[in-house]
């Protein structure tokens, strides 16, 4: 899981590649300001985006059957 920092290029490019090269099968990029989640699954060619969760939507990660995450609630925010 990666929570975006002010250095988004580092978070979404550099770390993205490092995690894949080190065998991380699932990668979630969370934007705490927009309250969004991008879910990626590793393939031999690189990560494949498998879900894009908008603000206010429930996130149900494919790696954890039955888990539901409500990011806006966790952050104590109401999405715009």
């Amino acid at each position: 899981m990666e929570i975006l920092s002010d250095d988004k290029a580092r978070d979404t490019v550099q770390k993205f590649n490092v995690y894949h090269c080190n065998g991380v099968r699932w990668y979630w990029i969370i934007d705490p300001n927009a309250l969004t989640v991008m879910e990626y699954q590793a393939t031999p060619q690189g990560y494949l985006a498998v879900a894009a969760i908008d603000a206010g939507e429930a996130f149900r990660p494919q790696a954890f059957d039955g888990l539901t995450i409500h990011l806006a609630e966790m952050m104590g925010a109401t999405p715009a």
Side-chain angles (χ1 to χ4, degrees):
M1 174 185 351
E2 186 69 44
I3 299 174
L4 290 180
S5 67
D6 291 335
D7 192 347
K8 290 182 181 174
R10 180 174 174 256
D11 296 340
T12 60
V13 178
Q14 183 180 8
K15 288 183 177 181
F16 196 87
N17 293 325
V18 168
Y19 291 151
H20 187 266
C21 288
N22 284 285
V24 175
R25 294 180 50 208
W26 293 93
Y27 188 42
W28 308 337
I29 298 179
I30 298 172
D31 185 330
N33 296 318
L35 300 176
T36 60
V37 181
M38 288 294 301
E39 181 180 33
Y40 297 89
Q41 183 176 16
T43 70
Q45 296 77 29
Y47 282 115
L48 174 66
V50 294
I53 291 71
D54 289 327
E57 292 182 356
F59 175 40
R60 294 177 180 86
Q62 293 182 33
F64 300 102
D65 190 36
L67 177 64
T68 300
I69 299 170
H70 298 277
L71 188 57
E73 290 177 19
M74 288 178 65
M75 298 294 287
T78 303

